[in-house]
Structure formats: C-alpha cells, structure tokens
PDB file of all heavy atoms in Angstrom:
ATOM      1  N   TYR A   1     -21.259  -3.257   3.863  1.00 97.00           N
ATOM      2  CA  TYR A   1     -21.011  -3.714   5.230  1.00 97.00           C
ATOM      3  C   TYR A   1     -20.650  -2.554   6.151  1.00 97.00           C
ATOM      4  O   TYR A   1     -20.079  -2.748   7.215  1.00 97.00           O
ATOM      5  CB  TYR A   1     -19.899  -4.774   5.225  1.00 97.00           C
ATOM      6  CG  TYR A   1     -20.302  -5.991   4.430  1.00 97.00           C
ATOM      7  CD1 TYR A   1     -19.977  -6.096   3.081  1.00 97.00           C
ATOM      8  CD2 TYR A   1     -21.051  -7.006   5.015  1.00 97.00           C
ATOM      9  CE1 TYR A   1     -20.372  -7.201   2.339  1.00 97.00           C
ATOM     10  CE2 TYR A   1     -21.448  -8.104   4.276  1.00 97.00           C
ATOM     11  CZ  TYR A   1     -21.113  -8.198   2.941  1.00 97.00           C
ATOM     12  OH  TYR A   1     -21.505  -9.281   2.204  1.00 97.00           O
ATOM     13  N   ASN A   2     -20.963  -1.344   5.694  1.00 97.00           N
ATOM     14  CA  ASN A   2     -20.733  -0.116   6.457  1.00 97.00           C
ATOM     15  C   ASN A   2     -19.249   0.091   6.772  1.00 97.00           C
ATOM     16  O   ASN A   2     -18.887   0.539   7.857  1.00 97.00           O
ATOM     17  CB  ASN A   2     -21.574  -0.106   7.729  1.00 97.00           C
ATOM     18  CG  ASN A   2     -21.746   1.304   8.265  1.00 97.00           C
ATOM     19  OD1 ASN A   2     -21.748   2.268   7.500  1.00 97.00           O
ATOM     20  ND2 ASN A   2     -21.894   1.432   9.572  1.00 97.00           N
ATOM     21  N   ILE A   3     -18.388  -0.265   5.810  1.00 95.00           N
ATOM     22  CA  ILE A   3     -16.951  -0.045   5.932  1.00 95.00           C
ATOM     23  C   ILE A   3     -16.539   0.907   4.822  1.00 95.00           C
ATOM     24  O   ILE A   3     -16.881   0.705   3.664  1.00 95.00           O
ATOM     25  CB  ILE A   3     -16.161  -1.363   5.802  1.00 95.00           C
ATOM     26  CG1 ILE A   3     -16.593  -2.352   6.893  1.00 95.00           C
ATOM     27  CG2 ILE A   3     -14.661  -1.114   5.850  1.00 95.00           C
ATOM     28  CD1 ILE A   3     -16.047  -3.757   6.696  1.00 95.00           C
ATOM     29  N   ASN A   4     -15.797   1.950   5.188  1.00 95.00           N
ATOM     30  CA  ASN A   4     -15.323   2.917   4.206  1.00 95.00           C
ATOM     31  C   ASN A   4     -13.935   2.503   3.739  1.00 95.00           C
ATOM     32  O   ASN A   4     -12.966   2.572   4.497  1.00 95.00           O
ATOM     33  CB  ASN A   4     -15.298   4.323   4.814  1.00 95.00           C
ATOM     34  CG  ASN A   4     -14.936   5.384   3.795  1.00 95.00           C
ATOM     35  OD1 ASN A   4     -14.202   5.134   2.834  1.00 95.00           O
ATOM     36  ND2 ASN A   4     -15.463   6.567   4.005  1.00 95.00           N
ATOM     37  N   PHE A   5     -13.840   2.060   2.490  1.00 93.00           N
ATOM     38  CA  PHE A   5     -12.579   1.561   1.938  1.00 93.00           C
ATOM     39  C   PHE A   5     -11.496   2.636   1.933  1.00 93.00           C
ATOM     40  O   PHE A   5     -10.320   2.335   2.071  1.00 93.00           O
ATOM     41  CB  PHE A   5     -12.820   1.029   0.522  1.00 93.00           C
ATOM     42  CG  PHE A   5     -11.649   0.339  -0.102  1.00 93.00           C
ATOM     43  CD1 PHE A   5     -10.963  -0.664   0.565  1.00 93.00           C
ATOM     44  CD2 PHE A   5     -11.237   0.665  -1.376  1.00 93.00           C
ATOM     45  CE1 PHE A   5      -9.890  -1.316  -0.023  1.00 93.00           C
ATOM     46  CE2 PHE A   5     -10.164   0.026  -1.975  1.00 93.00           C
ATOM     47  CZ  PHE A   5      -9.494  -0.977  -1.294  1.00 93.00           C
ATOM     48  N   GLY A   6     -11.872   3.895   1.807  1.00 89.00           N
ATOM     49  CA  GLY A   6     -10.907   4.981   1.747  1.00 89.00           C
ATOM     50  C   GLY A   6     -10.415   5.465   3.096  1.00 89.00           C
ATOM     51  O   GLY A   6      -9.476   6.264   3.163  1.00 89.00           O
ATOM     52  N   ASP A   7     -11.020   5.006   4.189  1.00 90.00           N
ATOM     53  CA  ASP A   7     -10.632   5.490   5.516  1.00 90.00           C
ATOM     54  C   ASP A   7      -9.227   5.054   5.926  1.00 90.00           C
ATOM     55  O   ASP A   7      -8.550   5.760   6.653  1.00 90.00           O
ATOM     56  CB  ASP A   7     -11.620   5.007   6.586  1.00 90.00           C
ATOM     57  CG  ASP A   7     -12.840   5.908   6.696  1.00 90.00           C
ATOM     58  OD1 ASP A   7     -12.861   6.978   6.057  1.00 90.00           O
ATOM     59  OD2 ASP A   7     -13.777   5.529   7.423  1.00 90.00           O
ATOM     60  N   ASN A   8      -8.803   3.892   5.510  1.00 88.00           N
ATOM     61  CA  ASN A   8      -7.497   3.379   5.896  1.00 88.00           C
ATOM     62  C   ASN A   8      -6.625   3.309   4.637  1.00 88.00           C
ATOM     63  O   ASN A   8      -6.650   2.336   3.897  1.00 88.00           O
ATOM     64  CB  ASN A   8      -7.634   1.991   6.543  1.00 88.00           C
ATOM     65  CG  ASN A   8      -6.322   1.491   7.103  1.00 88.00           C
ATOM     66  OD1 ASN A   8      -5.257   1.746   6.554  1.00 88.00           O
ATOM     67  ND2 ASN A   8      -6.416   0.742   8.195  1.00 88.00           N
ATOM     68  N   VAL A   9      -5.865   4.375   4.402  1.00 88.00           N
ATOM     69  CA  VAL A   9      -5.077   4.497   3.179  1.00 88.00           C
ATOM     70  C   VAL A   9      -4.045   3.382   3.064  1.00 88.00           C
ATOM     71  O   VAL A   9      -3.832   2.832   1.976  1.00 88.00           O
ATOM     72  CB  VAL A   9      -4.405   5.889   3.099  1.00 88.00           C
ATOM     73  CG1 VAL A   9      -3.482   5.982   1.905  1.00 88.00           C
ATOM     74  CG2 VAL A   9      -5.461   6.977   3.026  1.00 88.00           C
ATOM     75  N   CYS A  10      -3.414   3.011   4.158  1.00 87.00           N
ATOM     76  CA  CYS A  10      -2.400   1.948   4.113  1.00 87.00           C
ATOM     77  C   CYS A  10      -3.030   0.624   3.686  1.00 87.00           C
ATOM     78  O   CYS A  10      -2.477  -0.094   2.843  1.00 87.00           O
ATOM     79  CB  CYS A  10      -1.715   1.793   5.459  1.00 87.00           C
ATOM     80  SG  CYS A  10      -0.680   3.210   5.885  1.00 87.00           S
ATOM     81  N   ARG A  11      -4.168   0.285   4.244  1.00 88.00           N
ATOM     82  CA  ARG A  11      -4.850  -0.959   3.879  1.00 88.00           C
ATOM     83  C   ARG A  11      -5.305  -0.899   2.425  1.00 88.00           C
ATOM     84  O   ARG A  11      -5.139  -1.854   1.666  1.00 88.00           O
ATOM     85  CB  ARG A  11      -6.043  -1.214   4.795  1.00 88.00           C
ATOM     86  CG  ARG A  11      -6.745  -2.532   4.465  1.00 88.00           C
ATOM     87  CD  ARG A  11      -7.788  -2.888   5.497  1.00 88.00           C
ATOM     88  NE  ARG A  11      -7.116  -3.141   6.771  1.00 88.00           N
ATOM     89  CZ  ARG A  11      -7.614  -2.750   7.947  1.00 88.00           C
ATOM     90  NH1 ARG A  11      -8.748  -2.116   8.031  1.00 88.00           N
ATOM     91  NH2 ARG A  11      -6.954  -3.004   9.056  1.00 88.00           N
ATOM     92  N   ARG A  12      -5.855   0.230   2.016  1.00 91.00           N
ATOM     93  CA  ARG A  12      -6.309   0.403   0.638  1.00 91.00           C
ATOM     94  C   ARG A  12      -5.143   0.221  -0.340  1.00 91.00           C
ATOM     95  O   ARG A  12      -5.251  -0.499  -1.331  1.00 91.00           O
ATOM     96  CB  ARG A  12      -6.936   1.786   0.453  1.00 91.00           C
ATOM     97  CG  ARG A  12      -7.396   2.071  -0.949  1.00 91.00           C
ATOM     98  CD  ARG A  12      -7.939   3.518  -1.027  1.00 91.00           C
ATOM     99  NE  ARG A  12      -8.040   3.908  -2.397  1.00 91.00           N
ATOM    100  CZ  ARG A  12      -7.054   4.475  -3.108  1.00 91.00           C
ATOM    101  NH1 ARG A  12      -5.893   4.713  -2.553  1.00 91.00           N
ATOM    102  NH2 ARG A  12      -7.229   4.794  -4.356  1.00 91.00           N
ATOM    103  N   ASN A  13      -4.020   0.867  -0.054  1.00 90.00           N
ATOM    104  CA  ASN A  13      -2.863   0.748  -0.931  1.00 90.00           C
ATOM    105  C   ASN A  13      -2.343  -0.687  -0.988  1.00 90.00           C
ATOM    106  O   ASN A  13      -1.931  -1.159  -2.048  1.00 90.00           O
ATOM    107  CB  ASN A  13      -1.751   1.699  -0.497  1.00 90.00           C
ATOM    108  CG  ASN A  13      -2.053   3.132  -0.874  1.00 90.00           C
ATOM    109  OD1 ASN A  13      -3.039   3.428  -1.535  1.00 90.00           O
ATOM    110  ND2 ASN A  13      -1.203   4.034  -0.440  1.00 90.00           N
ATOM    111  N   ALA A  14      -2.354  -1.381   0.151  1.00 88.00           N
ATOM    112  CA  ALA A  14      -1.893  -2.764   0.174  1.00 88.00           C
ATOM    113  C   ALA A  14      -2.776  -3.643  -0.716  1.00 88.00           C
ATOM    114  O   ALA A  14      -2.272  -4.490  -1.458  1.00 88.00           O
ATOM    115  CB  ALA A  14      -1.882  -3.296   1.607  1.00 88.00           C
ATOM    116  N   ILE A  15      -4.070  -3.430  -0.666  1.00 91.00           N
ATOM    117  CA  ILE A  15      -4.991  -4.229  -1.476  1.00 91.00           C
ATOM    118  C   ILE A  15      -4.868  -3.856  -2.954  1.00 91.00           C
ATOM    119  O   ILE A  15      -4.850  -4.731  -3.822  1.00 91.00           O
ATOM    120  CB  ILE A  15      -6.441  -4.058  -0.979  1.00 91.00           C
ATOM    121  CG1 ILE A  15      -6.576  -4.714   0.408  1.00 91.00           C
ATOM    122  CG2 ILE A  15      -7.435  -4.649  -1.960  1.00 91.00           C
ATOM    123  CD1 ILE A  15      -7.878  -4.418   1.108  1.00 91.00           C
ATOM    124  N   LEU A  16      -4.752  -2.578  -3.243  1.00 94.00           N
ATOM    125  CA  LEU A  16      -4.682  -2.141  -4.636  1.00 94.00           C
ATOM    126  C   LEU A  16      -3.324  -2.405  -5.287  1.00 94.00           C
ATOM    127  O   LEU A  16      -3.231  -2.479  -6.518  1.00 94.00           O
ATOM    128  CB  LEU A  16      -5.021  -0.658  -4.749  1.00 94.00           C
ATOM    129  CG  LEU A  16      -6.464  -0.270  -4.450  1.00 94.00           C
ATOM    130  CD1 LEU A  16      -6.639   1.237  -4.565  1.00 94.00           C
ATOM    131  CD2 LEU A  16      -7.425  -0.981  -5.381  1.00 94.00           C
ATOM    132  N   SER A  17      -2.277  -2.569  -4.490  1.00 92.00           N
ATOM    133  CA  SER A  17      -0.947  -2.730  -5.085  1.00 92.00           C
ATOM    134  C   SER A  17      -0.834  -4.014  -5.901  1.00 92.00           C
ATOM    135  O   SER A  17      -0.199  -4.025  -6.962  1.00 92.00           O
ATOM    136  CB  SER A  17       0.148  -2.657  -4.021  1.00 92.00           C
ATOM    137  OG  SER A  17       0.059  -3.749  -3.146  1.00 92.00           O
ATOM    138  N   GLU A  18      -1.438  -5.097  -5.450  1.00 91.00           N
ATOM    139  CA  GLU A  18      -1.383  -6.333  -6.237  1.00 91.00           C
ATOM    140  C   GLU A  18      -2.128  -6.161  -7.555  1.00 91.00           C
ATOM    141  O   GLU A  18      -1.670  -6.620  -8.605  1.00 91.00           O
ATOM    142  CB  GLU A  18      -1.948  -7.519  -5.473  1.00 91.00           C
ATOM    143  CG  GLU A  18      -1.801  -8.813  -6.265  1.00 91.00           C
ATOM    144  CD  GLU A  18      -2.238 -10.056  -5.517  1.00 91.00           C
ATOM    145  OE1 GLU A  18      -2.609  -9.968  -4.339  1.00 91.00           O
ATOM    146  OE2 GLU A  18      -2.187 -11.132  -6.139  1.00 91.00           O
ATOM    147  N   ALA A  19      -3.265  -5.484  -7.509  1.00 94.00           N
ATOM    148  CA  ALA A  19      -4.006  -5.218  -8.744  1.00 94.00           C
ATOM    149  C   ALA A  19      -3.170  -4.361  -9.693  1.00 94.00           C
ATOM    150  O   ALA A  19      -3.148  -4.600 -10.904  1.00 94.00           O
ATOM    151  CB  ALA A  19      -5.333  -4.532  -8.435  1.00 94.00           C
ATOM    152  N   GLN A  20      -2.462  -3.374  -9.155  1.00 95.00           N
ATOM    153  CA  GLN A  20      -1.608  -2.525  -9.986  1.00 95.00           C
ATOM    154  C   GLN A  20      -0.580  -3.367 -10.730  1.00 95.00           C
ATOM    155  O   GLN A  20      -0.416  -3.243 -11.945  1.00 95.00           O
ATOM    156  CB  GLN A  20      -0.910  -1.478  -9.118  1.00 95.00           C
ATOM    157  CG  GLN A  20       0.062  -0.604  -9.885  1.00 95.00           C
ATOM    158  CD  GLN A  20       0.902   0.263  -8.968  1.00 95.00           C
ATOM    159  OE1 GLN A  20       1.245  -0.135  -7.858  1.00 95.00           O
ATOM    160  NE2 GLN A  20       1.233   1.439  -9.424  1.00 95.00           N
ATOM    161  N   GLU A  21       0.109  -4.227 -10.015  1.00 95.00           N
ATOM    162  CA  GLU A  21       1.138  -5.069 -10.622  1.00 95.00           C
ATOM    163  C   GLU A  21       0.535  -5.979 -11.684  1.00 95.00           C
ATOM    164  O   GLU A  21       1.048  -6.081 -12.803  1.00 95.00           O
ATOM    165  CB  GLU A  21       1.828  -5.909  -9.536  1.00 95.00           C
ATOM    166  CG  GLU A  21       2.577  -5.077  -8.535  1.00 95.00           C
ATOM    167  CD  GLU A  21       2.870  -5.797  -7.229  1.00 95.00           C
ATOM    168  OE1 GLU A  21       2.699  -7.051  -7.186  1.00 95.00           O
ATOM    169  OE2 GLU A  21       3.264  -5.131  -6.259  1.00 95.00           O
ATOM    170  N   ARG A  22      -0.559  -6.629 -11.348  1.00 95.00           N
ATOM    171  CA  ARG A  22      -1.207  -7.565 -12.271  1.00 95.00           C
ATOM    172  C   ARG A  22      -1.747  -6.845 -13.503  1.00 95.00           C
ATOM    173  O   ARG A  22      -1.543  -7.290 -14.630  1.00 95.00           O
ATOM    174  CB  ARG A  22      -2.341  -8.297 -11.548  1.00 95.00           C
ATOM    175  CG  ARG A  22      -3.078  -9.290 -12.446  1.00 95.00           C
ATOM    176  CD  ARG A  22      -4.125 -10.040 -11.656  1.00 95.00           C
ATOM    177  NE  ARG A  22      -3.552 -10.674 -10.495  1.00 95.00           N
ATOM    178  CZ  ARG A  22      -3.132 -11.937 -10.462  1.00 95.00           C
ATOM    179  NH1 ARG A  22      -3.225 -12.674 -11.532  1.00 95.00           N
ATOM    180  NH2 ARG A  22      -2.635 -12.445  -9.363  1.00 95.00           N
ATOM    181  N   PHE A  23      -2.452  -5.729 -13.295  1.00 97.00           N
ATOM    182  CA  PHE A  23      -3.069  -5.034 -14.425  1.00 97.00           C
ATOM    183  C   PHE A  23      -2.020  -4.456 -15.372  1.00 97.00           C
ATOM    184  O   PHE A  23      -2.177  -4.508 -16.592  1.00 97.00           O
ATOM    185  CB  PHE A  23      -4.015  -3.934 -13.946  1.00 97.00           C
ATOM    186  CG  PHE A  23      -5.221  -4.440 -13.183  1.00 97.00           C
ATOM    187  CD1 PHE A  23      -5.966  -3.570 -12.410  1.00 97.00           C
ATOM    188  CD2 PHE A  23      -5.597  -5.772 -13.207  1.00 97.00           C
ATOM    189  CE1 PHE A  23      -7.085  -4.008 -11.704  1.00 97.00           C
ATOM    190  CE2 PHE A  23      -6.700  -6.231 -12.501  1.00 97.00           C
ATOM    191  CZ  PHE A  23      -7.451  -5.343 -11.750  1.00 97.00           C
ATOM    192  N   PHE A  24      -0.934  -3.917 -14.826  1.00 96.00           N
ATOM    193  CA  PHE A  24       0.127  -3.402 -15.698  1.00 96.00           C
ATOM    194  C   PHE A  24       0.795  -4.546 -16.459  1.00 96.00           C
ATOM    195  O   PHE A  24       1.054  -4.421 -17.659  1.00 96.00           O
ATOM    196  CB  PHE A  24       1.148  -2.580 -14.910  1.00 96.00           C
ATOM    197  CG  PHE A  24       0.804  -1.121 -14.827  1.00 96.00           C
ATOM    198  CD1 PHE A  24       0.013  -0.636 -13.806  1.00 96.00           C
ATOM    199  CD2 PHE A  24       1.261  -0.231 -15.792  1.00 96.00           C
ATOM    200  CE1 PHE A  24      -0.325   0.710 -13.732  1.00 96.00           C
ATOM    201  CE2 PHE A  24       0.931   1.113 -15.728  1.00 96.00           C
ATOM    202  CZ  PHE A  24       0.138   1.585 -14.700  1.00 96.00           C
ATOM    203  N   ALA A  25       1.066  -5.671 -15.799  1.00 96.00           N
ATOM    204  CA  ALA A  25       1.674  -6.811 -16.489  1.00 96.00           C
ATOM    205  C   ALA A  25       0.751  -7.337 -17.589  1.00 96.00           C
ATOM    206  O   ALA A  25       1.201  -7.625 -18.704  1.00 96.00           O
ATOM    207  CB  ALA A  25       2.005  -7.921 -15.490  1.00 96.00           C
ATOM    208  N   GLU A  26      -0.538  -7.423 -17.299  1.00 97.00           N
ATOM    209  CA  GLU A  26      -1.484  -7.896 -18.301  1.00 97.00           C
ATOM    210  C   GLU A  26      -1.578  -6.945 -19.491  1.00 97.00           C
ATOM    211  O   GLU A  26      -1.711  -7.382 -20.637  1.00 97.00           O
ATOM    212  CB  GLU A  26      -2.865  -8.111 -17.670  1.00 97.00           C
ATOM    213  CG  GLU A  26      -2.896  -9.317 -16.743  1.00 97.00           C
ATOM    214  CD  GLU A  26      -4.195  -9.450 -15.963  1.00 97.00           C
ATOM    215  OE1 GLU A  26      -5.075  -8.549 -16.053  1.00 97.00           O
ATOM    216  OE2 GLU A  26      -4.336 -10.461 -15.239  1.00 97.00           O
ATOM    217  N   GLU A  27      -1.507  -5.649 -19.232  1.00 96.00           N
ATOM    218  CA  GLU A  27      -1.531  -4.682 -20.330  1.00 96.00           C
ATOM    219  C   GLU A  27      -0.263  -4.771 -21.171  1.00 96.00           C
ATOM    220  O   GLU A  27      -0.306  -4.634 -22.388  1.00 96.00           O
ATOM    221  CB  GLU A  27      -1.724  -3.260 -19.804  1.00 96.00           C
ATOM    222  CG  GLU A  27      -3.134  -2.959 -19.357  1.00 96.00           C
ATOM    223  CD  GLU A  27      -4.161  -3.099 -20.474  1.00 96.00           C
ATOM    224  OE1 GLU A  27      -3.862  -2.734 -21.635  1.00 96.00           O
ATOM    225  OE2 GLU A  27      -5.275  -3.573 -20.188  1.00 96.00           O
ATOM    226  N   LEU A  28       0.875  -4.992 -20.525  1.00 96.00           N
ATOM    227  CA  LEU A  28       2.120  -5.173 -21.279  1.00 96.00           C
ATOM    228  C   LEU A  28       2.003  -6.385 -22.202  1.00 96.00           C
ATOM    229  O   LEU A  28       2.360  -6.321 -23.383  1.00 96.00           O
ATOM    230  CB  LEU A  28       3.308  -5.330 -20.329  1.00 96.00           C
ATOM    231  CG  LEU A  28       3.741  -4.061 -19.596  1.00 96.00           C
ATOM    232  CD1 LEU A  28       4.744  -4.395 -18.501  1.00 96.00           C
ATOM    233  CD2 LEU A  28       4.307  -3.041 -20.559  1.00 96.00           C
ATOM    234  N   VAL A  29       1.482  -7.483 -21.678  1.00 96.00           N
ATOM    235  CA  VAL A  29       1.301  -8.696 -22.484  1.00 96.00           C
ATOM    236  C   VAL A  29       0.347  -8.415 -23.645  1.00 96.00           C
ATOM    237  O   VAL A  29       0.603  -8.830 -24.781  1.00 96.00           O
ATOM    238  CB  VAL A  29       0.797  -9.864 -21.610  1.00 96.00           C
ATOM    239  CG1 VAL A  29       0.354 -11.040 -22.465  1.00 96.00           C
ATOM    240  CG2 VAL A  29       1.878 -10.291 -20.619  1.00 96.00           C
ATOM    241  N   ALA A  30      -0.731  -7.696 -23.381  1.00 96.00           N
ATOM    242  CA  ALA A  30      -1.688  -7.359 -24.440  1.00 96.00           C
ATOM    243  C   ALA A  30      -1.053  -6.504 -25.536  1.00 96.00           C
ATOM    244  O   ALA A  30      -1.550  -6.486 -26.667  1.00 96.00           O
ATOM    245  CB  ALA A  30      -2.895  -6.630 -23.839  1.00 96.00           C
ATOM    246  N   HIS A  31       0.036  -5.820 -25.215  1.00 94.00           N
ATOM    247  CA  HIS A  31       0.748  -4.987 -26.183  1.00 94.00           C
ATOM    248  C   HIS A  31       2.016  -5.670 -26.716  1.00 94.00           C
ATOM    249  O   HIS A  31       2.912  -5.014 -27.228  1.00 94.00           O
ATOM    250  CB  HIS A  31       1.070  -3.617 -25.570  1.00 94.00           C
ATOM    251  CG  HIS A  31      -0.123  -2.740 -25.470  1.00 94.00           C
ATOM    252  ND1 HIS A  31      -1.063  -2.857 -24.470  1.00 94.00           N
ATOM    253  CD2 HIS A  31      -0.546  -1.742 -26.281  1.00 94.00           C
ATOM    254  CE1 HIS A  31      -2.014  -1.966 -24.669  1.00 94.00           C
ATOM    255  NE2 HIS A  31      -1.731  -1.280 -25.758  1.00 94.00           N
TER     256      HIS A  31
END
C-alpha cells in the first residue's frame, strides 16, 4: 500500500510491543 513500516518508529514499536509480550509469554509456556 506504499507505506513504509519503518518510517514511524513510535507506531512500529507500538504495534510490535504486543507481539513481543505475546511471543515471549508463549515461549515461556512452551518451556
């Protein structure tokens, strides 16, 4: 859609932060 995801670091971090929390929690459960 001609949008650069890396151009807005604050927006990128906000979107990725939920994934960070979820992925780390899921990995802890897997271990």
Side-chain angles (χ1 to χ4, degrees):
Y1 298 93
N2 200 30
I3 300 170
N4 185 330
F5 187 51
D7 276 352
N8 187 325
V9 175
C10 292
R11 182 171 295 141
R12 178 183 165 272
N13 285 355
I15 292 170
L16 292 178
S17 66
E18 184 175 357
Q20 177 189 34
E21 296 161 13
R22 180 176 305 265
F23 295 164
F24 270 89
E26 289 172 355
E27 285 299 322
L28 288 169
V29 169
H31 286 80

